[in-house]
Amino acid sequence: MKILITGGTVFVSKFVAQHFAKAGNEVYVLNRNTRPQLSDVKLIECDRNNIGNTLKGHHFDVVIDVTAYTAEDINCLLDGLESFDSYVMISSSAVYPETLAQPFKESDNCGPNKFWGSYGTNKVAAERALTTRVPDAYIIRPPYLYGEYNNVYREAFVFDCAEKSASFYLPGDGSIPLQFFYVEDLCIFIERVIELQPIQKIFNVGNEPVSTREWVELCYAAAGKTPNFISVDKNIEQRNYFPFYNYSYRLDTSLQSAIMPDLMPLDVGLLRAYNWYKENNAEVKAKPYFEYIERNLA
């Protein structure tokens, strides 16, 4: 297939581009060429909000839009595209208001979520812009994505704690659930959607949730360590020392499971993420969790 992928240089878009290129597809990436490029893709150097005639003369079998965050992003890309067969947008679970009953279902009304703010409402607007102009487009709503190329300091922070054999400062008793999805599973799910062309157009995706404590234990295990936990009072803002909000949600992934029941086990995915991070830690920008812990909790 001839595939256009927006981005292609950071985390999800980079992994997606590499995955589809390795599968033998002709992969084009659209970005501003401000970062190193993958060797097995074709670069279209352009700002997605100023495409002009750059894409004229191209027909794409699939557009995989990883970097659409606003309605303007969607409209500018659609204005620039000459023709395509299938369109897949990577959206977010942030489109669901925190006030809804859980687990969130694809049929639930989208709207503001106080934890995600404008990021969530902009994703809602982007989805609406896409479905208005391309009614048969596919929209995928993942929870927290993890895996190789992750430049967000989440599992990497726990890997650093494990490498230091440091005690882990855990919010409360660690019972808050978290839901994840491995980035390669995202790619495989996109492949299934393209192949099957299901009538359903919006999909939640994700593994079964695990507790915060279990997730940290799995991250330490990937590094061959076992954590010593120190419980932190719930009244202390946990984003100062822990990479997630004090907010738990669950996605109903039954529609995903109907077409892709087998997912990467979390322990195996985290081991792959750890092995990548050991060799590429300079690609992840650390946050000052250790400094906060040292000053306020240790």
Side-chain angles (χ1 to χ4, degrees):
M1 293 183 295
K2 183 177 178 180
I3 301 176
L4 177 67
I5 297 172
T6 58
T9 60
V10 176
F11 189 24
V12 178
S13 64
K14 183 177 181 179
F15 196 104
V16 171
Q18 180 176 271
H19 176 91
F20 280 91
K22 282 185 174 180
N25 299 289
E26 183 182 8
V27 174
Y28 290 75
V29 295
L30 188 151
N31 62 64
R32 293 172 294 176
N33 198 21
T34 59
R35 298 172 182 267
Q37 303 290 330
L38 293 168
S39 60
D40 49 357
V41 302
K42 298 178 180 180
L43 171 65
I44 298 176
E45 184 175 340
C46 184
D47 187 319
R48 69 174 295 155
N49 296 122
N50 189 25
I51 294 175
N53 294 321
T54 303
L55 299 179
K56 298 305 179 185
H58 284 284
H59 170 82
F60 296 101
D61 297 303
V62 183
V63 175
I64 303 176
D65 195 349
V66 184
T67 63
Y69 297 103
T70 66
E72 181 185 13
D73 289 342
I74 291 290
N75 287 321
C76 287
L77 181 58
L78 289 175
D79 289 344
L81 286 164
E82 185 165 286
S83 64
F84 58 89
D85 292 331
S86 295
Y87 196 115
V88 180
M89 174 194 170
I90 309 304
S91 186
S92 170
S93 56
V95 300
Y96 296 111
E98 81 284 357
T99 53
L100 292 177
Q102 298 187 29
F104 300 145
K105 294 179 172 58
E106 292 90 343
S107 57
D108 286 338
N109 290 328
C110 298
N113 181 304
K114 68 179 182 181
F115 292 95
W116 303 121
S118 61
Y119 172 76
T121 52
N122 283 339
K123 279 286 192 179
V124 172
E127 287 190 9
R128 289 173 179 165
L130 178 59
T131 55
T132 297
R133 296 184 60 176
V134 188
D136 60 348
Y138 290 101
I139 294 172
I140 301 176
R141 296 171 177 166
Y144 297 111
L145 289 163
Y146 78 100
E148 298 92 321
Y149 299 146
N150 188 0
N151 62 324
V152 183
Y153 200 50
R154 291 198 292 244
E155 63 260 27
F157 166 61
V158 189
F159 295 153
D160 282 345
C161 291
E163 289 284 356
K164 296 174 184 288
S165 295
S167 295
F168 195 86
Y169 288 80
L170 190 69
D173 62 1
S175 62
I176 294 175
L178 297 169
Q179 193 168 18
F180 296 93
F181 199 53
Y182 184 47
V183 67
E184 186 176 41
D185 281 341
L186 175 67
C187 296
I188 296 170
F189 186 75
I190 294 171
E191 289 175 332
R192 297 280 176 89
V193 166
I194 294 169
E195 176 188 0
L196 298 174
Q197 294 288 305
I199 295 174
Q200 174 73 21
K201 299 302 178 184
I202 300 176
F203 289 92
N204 293 335
V205 293
N207 290 77
E208 285 298 307
V210 295
S211 71
T212 302
R213 185 185 189 96
E214 290 170 322
W215 176 71
V216 173
E217 288 173 339
L218 290 173
C219 289
Y220 268 71
K225 303 290 182 67
T226 301
N228 172 55
F229 288 111
I230 298 175
S231 179
V232 179
D233 188 278
K234 64 181 181 180
N235 293 318
I236 296 176
E237 174 52 56
Q238 70 181 51
R239 286 280 285 178
N240 291 328
Y241 65 92
F242 186 72
F244 297 99
Y245 289 108
N246 183 18
Y247 167 55
S248 64
Y249 64 90
R250 178 170 183 164
L251 300 175
D252 182 330
T253 59
S254 55
L255 294 176
Q256 164 217 288
S257 297
I259 63 174
M260 184 178 163
D262 298 323
L263 301 178
M264 178 68 68
L266 188 54
D267 60 337
V268 179
L270 285 171
L271 179 59
R272 292 185 179 185
Y274 171 70
N275 288 332
W276 174 84
Y277 181 61
K278 281 195 302 182
E279 303 298 325
N280 300 276
N281 55 23
E283 295 188 28
V284 182
K285 185 176 180 180
K287 291 189 175 182
Y289 299 136
F290 286 107
E291 291 85 346
Y292 181 88
I293 289 169
E294 183 65 28
R295 290 195 310 266
N296 300 281
L297 301 178

